[in-house]
Amino acid sequence: MLPPRCHVCHLEPDQSPPGDARSDFVLVYFADAVNPPPGWVGHPAGAVWFCGEHASLGEEREHLGSDTALRDIDGVLGRLRGRLPETDR
């Protein structure tokens, strides 16, 4: 399993002050998520981490496949997938 890192803001748990709204991470399973077999090691396909502040963006799109959902989120936010907006650097 990949460690938590928000798809939207790229926040990781050690970067968030305790008690901050973003400190609770949520693993969102999109429609194309695959249930791995018992004993399988790795990050489940179709599952994406979001911080507490941005989790609703993923949860609102759980009915979509992960690629479609992430493109939609990135389009709404006006950023390119995998790259922080200039204001967040």
Side-chain angles (χ1 to χ4, degrees):
M1 170 99 42
L2 292 172
R5 183 171 192 239
C6 180
H7 169 78
V8 174
C9 66
H10 301 264
L11 182 75
E12 296 177 9
D14 62 346
Q15 299 169 325
S16 178
D20 184 87
R22 297 190 307 167
S23 65
D24 295 324
F25 286 80
V26 176
L27 187 60
V28 174
Y29 289 85
F30 293 103
D32 59 343
V34 175
N35 229 355
W40 181 80
V41 177
H43 191 80
V48 180
W49 286 108
F50 291 89
C51 71
E53 183 178 329
H54 297 118
S56 63
L57 291 169
E59 292 169 338
E60 292 167 355
R61 294 164 175 82
E62 285 178 320
H63 64 284
L64 301 172
S66 57
D67 285 343
T68 301
L70 298 179
R71 270 195 313 272
D72 186 53
I73 290 168
D74 291 345
V76 167
L77 297 175
R79 69 194 246 320
L80 297 175
R81 187 172 173 185
R83 194 181 95 195
L84 288 171
E86 294 297 323
T87 57
D88 287 353
R89 288 187 187 185

